Amino acid sequence: TEAIAIGEALVNRHPAFPEAHLMLSDLYGAEGRYAEAATLCRATPVDASTPEALRQLTQRCTSRWDRLH
C-alpha cells in the first residue's frame, strides 16, 4: 500500500528513528505480514538513551507480532 511505501522510505531515510520502525511494523501487521512486523520490531534502534516508555513499546511490539507469526 501507499502507507507502507511511505513507511519503508521513512525507515530507510531515518534508520535511527524508532518511531518509524514501530509505525511500519503496525502497518505490516495490519496487512497480515506478521513475520516482517516482528523482524522490524526487533530491529528497532533502542539503547540506554531511549526513553523507557519507548523501549517498553518496542518490547510489546515484538511480543505481539511474534505471537501471531
Side-chain angles (χ1 to χ4, degrees), residues 24-47:
L24 182 55
S25 72
D26 282 343
L27 292 170
Y28 283 155
E31 292 212 344
R33 297 165 62 176
Y34 305 128
E36 290 170 274
T39 298
L40 193 60
C41 287
R42 282 191 291 280
T44 299
V46 293
D47 60 27

Side-chain angles (χ1 to χ4, degrees), residues 2-25:
E2 184 178 356
I4 286 178
I6 291 168
E8 290 171 340
L10 183 60
V11 167
N12 288 330
R13 285 189 192 122
H14 305 283
F17 187 51
E19 292 88 341
H21 287 73
L22 297 173
M23 178 207 59
L24 182 55
S25 72

